[in-house]
Amino acid sequence: MKLIDINDLRKLIVHVGMENFQRKILLTMEKDFRRWQEFSMSPRHVTYCPDGVIELMPCSDADQYSFKYVNGHPKNTAEGKLSVVALGLLADLADGYPKLLCEMTLLTAIRTAAVAALGAKYLAREDSSHLAVIGTGAQSEFLASALMEVRPIQCISFFDVDAKAMTKFARNLQHLDIELIPCNGVFETIENADLITTATAARSQVQLFSHDQIKPGTHIHAMGGDSEGKTELDPNILSKCKLVVEYLEQTRSEGEIQNANHAVVYAEIWEIIANHKPGRENEHEITLFDAVGFALEDFSSLRLVYELAQEFNIGQELSMLPSLDDPKDLFSLLVSP
Ligand SMILES: NC(=O)c1ccc[n+]([C@@H]2O[C@H](COP(=O)([O-])OP(=O)(O)OC[C@H]3O[C@@H](n4cnc5c(N)ncnc54)[C@H](O)[C@@H]3O)[C@@H](O)[C@H]2O)c1
């Protein structure tokens, strides 16, 4: 079994190139969403604890199986820990043997940004040039970079309740040839935006902005509201939007739509990617991707990492599984040679 730890993943990404890796994840995911019916899937298994959640996210096709362990603990950063950390495993269905154990904290940020880019590719106006970022924590620079790959972003306005997080965001993106506009509040951030991302962390029903503050033609990528009782948007926004989700069965209880029983969901994103339904249809509609994070996205990412790690011989072989001359003689491992 191969182990890809955080250093191996960084090595792999440096080898492939960050932009190239991001693009490969987006394309792998897009192909997998297009063959949606080939997957065996279920909503994730969620364990709630006082300050967060721990989730197990399984998914498989005819050949491979994956799952991710991921948490969400918004208060962690106050103690110098990440809000979100993750590990993933990929196995062959033929024999059930795990073949990859992979760090997924960094990988989750990259795959989550790729999901945002995929949503924007089908739902944001082609000429979207102004991005508004609300919440400039761990995920934020990944999001901005991935969205710049699919839309001609010239300017990013941004806001976070933590001034240090805003300084960090500006520092990490200062090398890009775009205008960075730090803002003093949410409305100032979104008022001229074509595309809005919300990636804040709070275990409560927050309303970052109201329905009448959104201009026609905007695309909203809402991803911080991703578990029961943790949402970011005014529920009235949902009825004004073309509303798209990843997997309705999961999003019903975890996404923004948990606060709007009567919200009409236009499509699961795979239906648009597979050409069963059109994405954006005009310059005026407001589109909203209520993205909570789905196991298929991790399956695609793990599959890609495994293929690249094999190709470039990156990672360590772990003696995690027994290797026996007689597979029925497991006891021999404890008998002295
Ligand atoms: N949908 C998905 O697939 C997915 C994947 C990863 C993370 N997430 C979620 O996205 C969110 C962001 O993740 P992260 O790793 O960047 O977390 P983080 O804790 O590093 O950053 C969150 C930021 O939001 C800011 N914030 C909190 N409330 C705010 C408010 N009202 N207005 C403006 N800023 C505010 C915080 O100060 C912090 O800087 C989390 O809620 C996480 O659970 C979703």
Side-chain angles (χ1 to χ4, degrees):
M1 179 167 85
K2 184 167 276 233
L3 170 71
I4 300 285
D5 68 15
I6 185 71
N7 294 320
D8 298 321
L9 187 68
R10 287 172 68 191
K11 195 167 147 191
L12 191 148
I13 294 171
V14 168
H15 189 80
V16 176
M18 178 57 190
E19 280 174 17
N20 195 20
F21 184 70
Q22 182 84 57
R23 207 169 299 132
K24 280 179 185 290
I25 288 218
L26 187 145
L27 291 175
T28 309
M29 212 180 269
E30 191 173 31
K31 271 192 198 151
D32 284 343
F33 270 117
R34 208 166 274 140
R35 61 187 186 98
W36 180 259
Q37 273 97 352
E38 294 176 25
F39 285 91
S40 163
M41 56 184 81
S42 59
R44 56 191 162 196
H45 181 276
V46 186
T47 301
Y48 290 92
C49 36
D51 287 325
V53 290
I54 292 180
E55 299 164 336
L56 285 178
M57 303 172 67
C59 182
S60 61
D61 67 3
D63 302 317
Q64 299 179 93
Y65 174 97
S66 76
F67 75 85
K68 178 167 86 172
Y69 166 101
V70 63
N71 79 321
H73 283 67
K75 291 183 185 164
N76 270 5
T77 52
E79 291 170 16
K81 297 177 194 161
L82 288 144
S83 293
V84 177
V85 290
L87 286 175
L89 189 138
L90 183 69
D92 274 326
L93 279 194
D95 59 7
Y97 269 44
K99 59 183 183 184
L100 173 67
L101 178 62
C102 188
E103 99 71 40
M104 285 199 81
T105 303
L106 183 57
L107 194 57
T108 292
I110 298 172
R111 80 81 153 120
T112 302
V115 176
L118 201 52
K121 180 173 168 183
Y122 289 91
L123 296 169
R125 286 192 342 264
E126 293 270 351
D127 64 348
S128 299
S129 62
H130 184 147
L131 168 66
V133 174
I134 306 171
T136 57
Q139 313 294 320
S140 59
E141 297 91 345
F142 296 92
L143 275 173
S145 309
L147 288 166
M148 287 177 66
E149 283 285 310
V150 294
R151 286 295 179 264
I153 306 295
Q154 300 293 318
C155 145
I156 302 179
S157 48
F158 58 100
F159 172 69
D160 194 294
V161 287
D162 174 7
K164 260 173 69 186
M166 289 179 64
T167 307
K168 177 249 2 174
F169 180 80
R171 187 180 62 239
N172 283 339
L173 297 184
Q174 68 188 358
H175 63 285
L176 299 174
D177 187 21
I178 44 168
E179 187 186 359
L180 292 170
I181 309 173
C183 297
N184 292 311
V186 171
F187 182 59
E188 187 186 333
T189 316
I190 64 171
E191 84 183 305
N192 296 310
D194 305 311
L195 218 163
I196 300 171
T197 62
T198 61
T200 65
R203 187 98 190 271
S204 55
Q205 294 174 328
V206 178
Q207 295 190 7
L208 291 172
F209 44 82
S210 65
H211 66 103
D212 49 4
Q213 291 176 320
I214 307 296
K215 63 172 190 172
T218 305
H219 172 61
I220 306 168
H221 183 75
M223 54 160 274
D226 59 357
S227 65
E228 276 181 39
K230 179 168 174 274
T231 51
E232 297 179 300
L233 301 183
D234 169 3
N236 293 316
I237 289 176
L238 307 189
S239 55
K240 287 186 70 174
C241 299
K242 177 176 265 186
L243 178 54
V244 176
V245 300
E246 290 145 308
Y247 178 49
L248 186 56
E249 202 179 330
Q250 180 179 304
T251 309
R252 274 252 175 265
S253 56
E254 298 185 353
E256 295 300 328
I257 57 173
Q258 67 184 279
N259 295 331
N261 288 338
H262 303 298
V264 177
V265 174
Y266 169 73
E268 290 179 329
I269 190 75
W270 74 268
E271 298 176 275
I272 298 174
I273 295 173
N275 236 347
H276 294 302
K277 289 181 183 175
R280 171 172 289 276
E281 288 170 283
N282 61 58
E283 301 295 288
H284 309 292
E285 63 187 347
I286 299 172
T287 50
L288 167 61
F289 190 9
D290 186 2
V292 296
F294 182 54
L296 175 60
E297 298 147 12
D298 302 310
F299 176 95
S300 308
S301 308
L302 285 168
R303 196 160 69 76
L304 176 69
V305 166
Y306 185 74
E307 284 166 17
L308 293 172
Q310 291 296 86
E311 184 179 344
F312 301 121
N313 199 19
I314 291 174
Q316 308 143 56
E317 281 307 317
L318 274 189
S319 52
M320 185 71 96
L321 306 171
S323 170
L324 300 167
D325 291 337
D326 174 0
K328 295 187 179 176
D329 193 6
L330 184 59
F331 197 72
S332 66
L333 291 175
L334 300 178
V335 178
S336 337

